[in-house]
Amino acid sequence: MPAIGYAHVMEEPALVGSLVARLHKVRAEGSHAFWNAYMRGALPFRGVAMRDIRKTVHTWWREEARTLDPVALALELLAQPFGEDKLAGILLLDEIAGDRVGPETLPELAQAFDEGHVADWNTCDWLCVKVLGKLVARTLPDAGTARALCAWSDAPGVWRVRASMVGLVRLAPRGEDNFPGFAELMLDTCDRNLVHPHRFVHTGAGWVLRELARADCERVILFLETNGHRLTREGLRKATEAMPSDLQRRLLKANRG
């Protein structure tokens, strides 16, 4: 990440406030109803459609913010309370910062989780798919960033634990084409995370196992035959939902506990 001068640091809150004001202006009652129903009150939303969040972020960046560090601004946005502000930060990281998000950004993103700025499944999964997965993909075939992300299994909060798996979900169908040992890394991460009782850790594991099975079905089946009883029913269904129906039934029946 480029060095940020003191004056730039002072500008960030004002610029974030300007973007928040722009987002507030384009809120709509229909979008407000959608977000609240979709998220079931997990976090507050103003009511801005995703297309309007994206358009607003790009216009604001062009007109006001392009001289500053997009990563630092995105982290400020993740710290805001409203869902649209967090999504704006994720779009800033993905579509504007791009490859300026490097392995050195992982500790800052981990801090965003640990400080409670990423504390719902929607923000977590958008950040995983749009930012973390792409960051890992840019570093392949080196396995270091993937392993650093999987080490989030030991994080204190549920959402960073989920991200240790879901951050690699888009790479999972490639299996060992990512790097030798990828499948083992993913299965080991799922194994370590299944000690966690939270629903969204188990559905995260199920999602990764489902995608990994596209590349290495036999290893996933063996994992589920050994560990399926440790998954919640919901997590096990997600892990097996792309398998042939007879195989899915067998695995679900064998792990009824």
Side-chain angles (χ1 to χ4, degrees):
M1 183 189 305
I4 309 170
Y6 180 72
H8 278 186
V9 173
M10 295 297 291
E11 286 181 65
E12 284 168 14
L15 283 173
V16 166
S18 176
L19 175 58
V20 165
R22 287 178 182 241
L23 288 169
H24 194 68
K25 286 181 180 178
V26 293
R27 68 194 187 280
E29 188 57 41
S31 293
H32 186 264
F34 166 80
W35 281 119
N36 281 301
Y38 183 59
M39 292 301 300
R40 299 180 182 178
L43 77 168
F45 279 87
R46 289 187 180 82
V48 185
M50 180 56 74
R51 66 179 180 278
D52 292 326
I53 299 173
R54 175 174 281 110
K55 181 179 178 181
T56 301
V57 166
H58 281 271
T59 302
W60 164 83
W61 174 256
R62 256 190 341 266
E63 294 179 353
E64 298 187 58
R66 64 186 309 160
T67 62
L68 295 188
D69 175 19
V71 176
L73 288 167
L75 293 168
E76 289 279 347
L77 285 162
L78 282 173
Q80 302 307 304
F82 282 87
E84 292 94 341
D85 306 350
K86 296 177 188 295
L87 292 172
I90 293 167
L91 290 173
L92 189 59
L93 289 170
D94 177 29
E95 299 180 5
I96 294 171
D99 60 10
R100 281 179 277 187
V101 180
E104 70 281 359
T105 314
L106 271 183
E108 294 177 285
L109 293 172
Q111 186 176 353
F113 279 89
D114 294 345
E115 291 180 352
H117 304 324
V118 182
D120 66 276
W121 65 266
N122 186 64
T123 308
C124 176
D125 291 1
W126 270 86
L127 186 61
C128 285
V129 172
K130 292 291 188 181
V131 179
L132 294 172
K134 292 181 180 182
L135 165 57
V136 173
R138 286 194 294 271
T139 67
L140 295 177
D142 182 84
T145 306
R147 295 190 184 281
L149 181 58
C150 288
W152 286 12
S153 289
D154 298 324
V158 59
W159 299 109
R160 188 146 70 95
V161 174
R162 178 176 170 90
S164 72
M165 299 172 292
V166 176
L168 294 170
V169 74
R170 290 290 181 91
L171 298 177
R174 290 166 41 90
E176 298 294 287
D177 288 344
N178 291 300
F179 54 82
F182 177 85
E184 180 181 359
L185 175 65
M186 295 313 304
L187 293 173
D188 179 64
T189 303
C190 289
D191 177 56
R192 285 184 290 123
N193 287 357
L194 290 184
V195 302
H196 203 297
H198 197 283
R199 172 194 177 193
F200 283 103
V201 171
H202 285 254
T203 56
W207 188 4
V208 167
L209 291 168
R210 183 191 72 190
E211 297 305 308
L212 184 61
R214 302 183 194 280
D216 202 338
C217 193
E218 290 304 317
R219 290 186 70 174
V220 172
I221 291 169
L222 180 61
F223 179 88
L224 292 174
E225 287 174 339
T226 306
N227 296 283
H229 66 285
R230 299 171 61 209
L231 275 161
T232 62
R233 196 70 171 169
E234 183 182 22
L236 185 58
R237 284 192 178 278
K238 183 167 286 290
T240 59
E241 66 186 3
M243 294 180 180
S245 56
D246 57 337
L247 177 58
Q248 182 185 41
R249 284 195 298 269
R250 177 172 72 80
L251 289 168
L252 289 171
K253 183 177 179 181
N255 295 284
R256 274 184 179 159

